[in-house]
Amino acid sequence: MEQKKSYQLLDKKTLNKSYIRWMMYNLVATSFEFLEAFGFALSMEPIAKKIYKDNPEAQKAMLKRHSVFYNTEPQIGSLINGVVVGLEEQRALGKEEIDDDFVNGLKVGLMGPLAGIGDSMIPGMLIPILLSIGMGLSEKGSILGPIFYIVAYNTIIMLGSRFLFFKGYELGAESVDTFVGEKAQQITQAFSVLGMIVIGGVAASYVNLKLPIVLKFSSAKIDIQQILDGIFPNLLPLVLVLVSWYLMAKKGVSALKLIGIYFIAAFGGVGIAYLIQMMF
């Protein structure tokens, strides 16, 4: 094990405790006023107790300054926790240039770019990829699909976010240049495009919607679905995906409500299709 440096106040046990608290409780006690602030403050409590163990007032002051509004993507955002831990340690060691404004300004400056990168990488890319693999494994009712998703997702998230936390602690304020500015915008745009491609592929592969309406006349029959496929293959699945996006992103409809709406619409649609076919 690497020998502890003389300018360090924190040991690995304390750092691990801070990281685990953030990963387990980053969304506790959320509100529009604070969002992830209290989860951040909770993760800073072991740090405050360690570096200000003989100064309760300094502990309170540190936790208070980390209880203001804060919001970012939690997994990639663990880098910010590591950076702040490093800064708080250096401040406790007497670096006067690290004051409240510097620490809070760094948090605010980093949380936006990292949220953009994290939202593009995890919900936009990682989750769709793992879900597509899991759905493929579960195609014939196998339990291997959900097991794969649970194990793979948690392994990647825990190892990746832990690496970022300790890398942030190691880099300190130097990491700002890497994640803010033109490079961060390019990374965000690249992952956004890749995420859209992945989501499009998943939607085309697994979203299935057809109109089971065949109009029969005396000398001919008209298959509505066949006509639609001739004009625009998989048009209905595309419309379903776009409608789902619109309702969730623009109208604030939750996923559970959307499932209920589609459940009712499916029964109603089958009934209408049956009545149309009875008429012809």
Side-chain angles (χ1 to χ4, degrees):
M1 183 179 294
E2 183 181 352
Q3 187 176 1
K4 185 177 179 181
K5 298 177 182 179
S6 59
Y7 56 82
Q8 288 182 317
L9 295 173
L10 300 171
D11 53 28
K12 198 166 185 179
K13 180 180 179 181
T14 305
L15 293 172
N16 276 321
K17 188 180 293 185
S18 176
Y19 161 73
I20 291 171
R21 285 194 177 196
W22 171 248
M23 287 309 301
M24 296 300 295
Y25 305 110
N26 54 70
L27 294 176
V28 299
T30 56
S31 67
F32 288 113
E33 183 179 0
F34 296 102
L35 287 177
E36 298 171 352
F38 296 138
F40 197 99
L42 182 66
S43 73
M44 291 295 117
E45 185 182 11
I47 307 300
K49 288 182 177 180
K50 184 70 175 181
I51 63 179
Y52 298 117
K53 57 184 177 181
D54 298 323
N55 191 342
E57 293 304 318
Q59 294 179 24
K60 293 178 184 177
M62 178 178 165
L63 294 178
K64 185 176 181 179
R65 66 174 169 265
H66 290 303
S67 297
V68 297
F69 176 87
Y70 179 76
N71 187 41
T72 193
E73 198 286 316
Q75 285 76 41
I76 302 298
S78 62
L79 177 94
I80 302 176
N81 292 66
V83 171
V84 171
V85 167
L87 293 177
E88 290 288 359
E89 181 183 42
Q90 295 305 307
R91 177 176 181 168
L93 287 168
K95 289 198 175 183
E96 296 180 357
E97 65 270 20
I98 303 176
D99 55 14
D100 288 6
D101 291 337
F102 181 85
V103 176
N104 289 331
L106 184 139
K107 285 173 61 179
V108 172
L110 279 177
M111 69 182 189
L114 286 184
I117 295 173
D119 290 341
S120 300
M121 287 182 64
I122 298 177
M125 183 184 67
L126 177 64
I127 291 178
I129 289 175
L130 295 180
L131 282 176
S132 64
I133 296 172
M135 286 188 290
L137 294 173
S138 301
E139 191 171 357
K140 295 183 179 180
S142 173
I143 197 174
L144 186 61
I147 291 176
F148 164 80
Y149 177 79
I150 293 170
V151 173
Y153 176 79
N154 283 287
T155 300
I156 293 170
I157 289 301
M158 295 301 290
L159 293 179
S161 60
R162 187 180 185 279
F163 170 80
L164 289 174
F165 177 89
F166 280 91
K167 181 57 68 174
Y169 171 70
E170 177 186 332
L171 294 176
E174 295 178 5
S175 60
V176 175
D177 294 334
T178 305
F179 292 93
V180 177
E182 185 177 353
K183 183 181 291 187
Q185 293 176 1
Q186 292 173 349
I187 293 173
T188 300
Q189 291 173 358
F191 279 117
S192 295
V193 172
L194 180 59
M196 291 300 101
I197 293 173
V198 171
I199 290 174
V202 172
S205 300
Y206 293 102
V207 178
N208 186 21
L209 179 62
K210 294 182 179 180
L211 284 178
I213 300 176
V214 178
L215 305 180
K216 297 180 180 180
F217 298 94
S218 57
S219 59
K221 66 177 182 178
I222 300 175
D223 189 328
I224 302 298
Q225 184 61 52
Q226 189 175 16
I227 294 174
L228 289 175
D229 288 339
I231 299 171
F232 194 134
N234 293 319
L235 174 62
L236 293 180
L238 174 62
V239 171
L240 182 63
V241 171
L242 293 177
V243 169
S244 301
W245 169 81
Y246 176 78
L247 292 175
M248 296 180 71
K250 301 298 183 180
K251 296 299 183 179
V253 179
S254 67
L256 287 177
K257 287 182 179 179
L258 200 60
I259 291 173
I261 292 171
Y262 287 154
F263 186 79
I264 295 171
F267 273 94
V270 170
I272 293 172
Y274 178 76
L275 290 176
I276 292 175
Q277 291 193 183
M278 290 291 291
M279 293 172 61
F280 291 90

